[in-house]
Amino acid sequence: MNTKDILYHLRTEKDLSQDELAAKIFVTRQAVSRWETGETTPNVETLKLLSAFFNVSINTLLGSPRQLICQCCGMPLEDSITSKEPDGSFNEDYCMWCYADGTFKYTTKEQLIDFCVTHMATESWPAEQVRAHMEAIVPTLKHWKK
């Protein structure tokens, strides 16, 4: 979906008129109309307001132009599991299990990998394979490259 379609869908899902949405995010009704026709796209600050108001990530508002993955554990991110900052804004770099309320859960790669092996291993994906996979992926992620 395009940004115009996403904004229209989110607005109508909340049963809001263009005027009502405009008032809630401090823009004009004409601005909302231009976004929904595709004439313009909200600026960065407005995208942040829309993200908070609709409780979706900016990535979602932009039509998910890229697949996000947690930069700590490598899990694909969706809005429902994306971490949030203490102020409630989305942090599109991490999942809610690796980063919450401004703090990271895992202090070492080994701690993270051990946890993942324990919880991801199955009969069809044995612990040794999970560990090898995680040991290959985790060091390449932004959080662990510091």
Side-chain angles (χ1 to χ4, degrees), residues 21-142:
L21 175 59
K24 291 189 182 293
I25 58 166
F26 315 106
V27 297
T28 64
R29 185 210 49 83
Q30 291 82 358
V32 175
S33 176
R34 286 193 301 268
W35 302 334
E36 291 182 0
T37 61
E39 186 180 327
T40 62
T41 303
N43 65 33
V44 173
E45 291 306 312
T46 305
L47 284 169
K48 289 178 184 177
L49 290 172
L50 289 163
S51 170
F53 179 74
F54 289 120
N55 197 32
V56 298
S57 67
I58 291 173
N59 195 54
T60 295
L61 290 173
L62 295 175
S64 299
R66 59 192 170 100
Q67 174 61 56
L68 300 175
I69 63 165
C70 176
Q71 292 299 306
C72 182
C73 70
M75 178 186 295
L77 293 176
E78 298 172 4
D79 286 346
S80 62
I81 63 167
T82 299
S83 67
K84 292 191 176 185
E85 294 292 347
D87 67 3
S89 64
F90 280 90
N91 181 323
E92 296 183 1
D93 284 336
Y94 303 104
C95 71
M96 64 187 198
W97 296 288
C98 289
Y99 179 83
D101 296 322
T103 60
F104 288 97
K105 176 167 178 142
Y106 306 102
T107 55
T108 67
K109 289 182 274 196
E110 294 73 24
Q111 184 186 27
L112 168 66
I113 292 169
D114 288 344
F115 177 84
C116 290
V117 169
T118 302
H119 291 87
M120 293 170 63
T122 64
E123 191 173 299
S124 60
W125 201 21
E128 307 79 44
Q129 287 181 346
V130 174
R131 184 170 298 282
H133 172 77
M134 295 303 291
E135 287 176 349
I137 298 297
V138 169
T140 68
L141 301 171
K142 181 170 97 176

